[in-house]
Amino acid sequence: MKTIILAAGKGSRLKSEETHTPKVLRKACGRPLLSYVISAPPPHGDDDIYLVIGYEKEKVIKAFPRYHHVVQEELLGTGHAVLCAKEVLKDYDGELIVICGDTPLTRRESIDAMIEHHRKLANACTLLSCRLPKDTVLGRIMRDENGRFTEIVENAECTPEQKKIHEYNTATYIFDAKLLFPALDIIVKNSTKREIYLTDVPELLLKQGYKVDAIPCKYPYEIYGVNTEADLALVEKTMMLHKLV
């Protein structure tokens, strides 16, 4: 098993230009956000972890020199970020975890549950969702009348009815690597948008006849990402409250 961690973001709302610190190196309870994310997937060798880096990339390399580093020169979406690792993973045929570097509250047990579910159902893609009783700006998980996953709809594209759905995408996935990159190539070829989103891949795999499912995380706080100073303060408060440090 290998892991891609998306760590290229600048973090403009964290005033990165003032400190010249990439988002994933901002600290929560004394540790870089990225250090928590690296610890979330099940233990595997340093050689199996790929960091997609961009803004102030030299600082990320210096802080985390043991891992593979793949550069995303332009920030053209999450799908594009994953495609930046295509060449170095071209010979890999196995399970691939994709996780964002600014989600330090993702729990190992949730990823373990994803892996178990993924293997049990022989899925091409399994994603981690989160059920919350309140509205957020995150994408919604759509299911059919039988409760089966159908697609992810971004918040801005949701109808009023879809906005009543409170199961959200956490942006943590497991993919069959040999299916992921060809799917992204198809999305790039057919896209009219400047940015390429990883959220389009699960629906495409379903249309190709593969199995895709979403499994809810155990703790609602796992969905917290860090985009602002307020987010960072909330993450630190949560870590201390739940003794996660």
Side-chain angles (χ1 to χ4, degrees):
M1 176 173 286
K2 297 185 183 295
T3 297
I4 293 176
I5 301 178
L6 308 185
K10 178 184 292 187
S12 298
R13 287 178 285 171
L14 285 166
K15 302 178 182 178
S16 297
E17 292 89 347
E18 296 179 14
T19 62
H20 299 286
T21 303
K23 184 199 293 192
V24 295
L25 294 189
R26 288 296 301 269
K27 292 183 178 180
C29 295
R31 286 174 52 190
L33 300 176
L34 183 55
S35 70
Y36 294 100
V37 179
I38 287 173
S39 300
H44 43 275
D46 295 350
D47 196 49
D48 294 324
I49 295 176
Y50 296 76
L51 307 180
V52 180
I53 57 177
Y55 178 72
E56 294 285 353
K57 57 183 180 292
E58 294 83 6
K59 292 183 178 180
V60 181
I61 294 170
K62 183 177 179 180
F64 296 90
R66 297 172 6 211
Y67 310 106
H68 294 284
H69 300 91
V70 179
V71 179
Q72 184 183 20
E73 297 290 355
E74 292 186 88
L75 304 184
L76 300 178
T78 50
H80 175 261
V82 173
L83 272 174
C84 291
K86 177 182 175 181
E87 181 62 25
V88 295
L89 289 169
K90 63 183 179 182
D91 297 323
Y92 177 62
D93 181 4
E95 296 164 335
L96 183 61
I97 295 172
V98 179
I99 187 170
C100 295
D102 63 351
T103 55
L105 298 176
T106 305
R107 298 285 293 265
R108 169 80 56 80
E109 60 194 281
S110 292
I111 296 184
D112 285 343
M114 285 179 69
I115 294 170
E116 181 180 357
H117 192 76
H118 184 82
R119 292 173 177 172
K120 181 178 179 181
L121 298 184
N123 286 344
C125 169
T126 302
L127 57 103
L128 189 66
S129 68
C130 183
R131 292 194 172 113
L132 293 174
K134 60 181 181 180
D135 291 337
T136 81
V137 297
L138 299 175
R140 266 64 167 190
I141 301 298
M142 299 294 140
R143 297 182 183 273
D144 64 18
E145 61 275 9
N146 296 312
R148 291 177 296 214
F149 172 88
T150 58
E151 63 177 322
I152 302 166
V153 179
E154 298 299 340
N155 179 66
E157 299 173 0
C158 283
T159 65
E161 196 64 28
Q162 288 172 331
K163 287 200 173 186
K164 295 177 183 178
I165 295 170
H166 288 164
E167 184 179 8
Y168 299 95
N169 177 32
T170 70
T172 297
Y173 311 82
I174 302 173
F175 290 101
D176 181 332
K178 71 177 184 295
L179 299 176
L180 170 60
F181 292 109
L184 281 169
D185 286 338
I186 291 172
I187 290 168
V188 170
K189 182 178 179 180
N190 295 334
S191 179
T192 58
K193 300 177 289 188
R194 175 172 166 77
E195 296 192 351
I196 305 301
Y197 293 105
L198 195 58
T199 49
D200 292 334
V201 173
E203 183 182 6
L204 176 58
L205 291 175
L206 272 179
K207 289 178 178 178
Q208 292 177 333
Y210 297 105
K211 294 181 180 180
V212 178
D213 199 12
I215 178 172
C217 59
K218 184 175 181 179
Y219 302 98
Y221 59 68
E222 294 183 70
I223 203 170
Y224 295 164
V226 176
N227 292 301
T228 66
E229 294 287 351
D231 292 338
L232 186 57
L234 177 60
V235 162
E236 288 192 310
K237 181 179 178 180
T238 303
M239 286 179 173
M240 292 184 285
L241 180 64
H242 294 277
K243 297 181 174 59
L244 300 176
V245 290

